[in-house]
Amino acid sequence: STEAPSAGSCNLIQLADSTLAEAESNLATGRSAAPDAAQQFLNYASTLRPYLVAQRKALCPATNDH
């Protein structure tokens, strides 16, 4: 059976999205201290972004405007 997404699931994906955005920002800022490591983690973050976008569309129908 398929269940409708819960508000809790939407809240969690929104938290994940904002946390990833904060991590990306901090990694970009700290790039001068450890360029290779920062780039590696930014690359990892970029692989997560499409997953978060898809999950947000699936779990947060009222907030699909971005």
Side-chain angles (χ1 to χ4, degrees), residues 1-64:
S1 74
T2 302
E3 295 180 22
S6 71
S9 296
C10 180
N11 289 342
L12 286 175
I13 202 66
Q14 288 175 331
L15 176 61
D17 188 34
S18 65
T19 301
L20 184 61
E22 184 177 354
E24 289 169 325
S25 175
N26 289 335
L27 285 164
T29 300
R31 186 179 276 166
S32 61
D36 293 339
Q39 187 59 55
Q40 183 178 11
F41 283 105
L42 283 165
N43 290 344
Y44 292 150
S46 71
T47 65
L48 293 175
R49 179 64 52 206
Y51 172 77
L52 288 174
V53 169
Q55 291 300 303
R56 186 179 193 120
K57 286 180 182 177
L59 299 172
C60 308
T63 60
N64 281 337

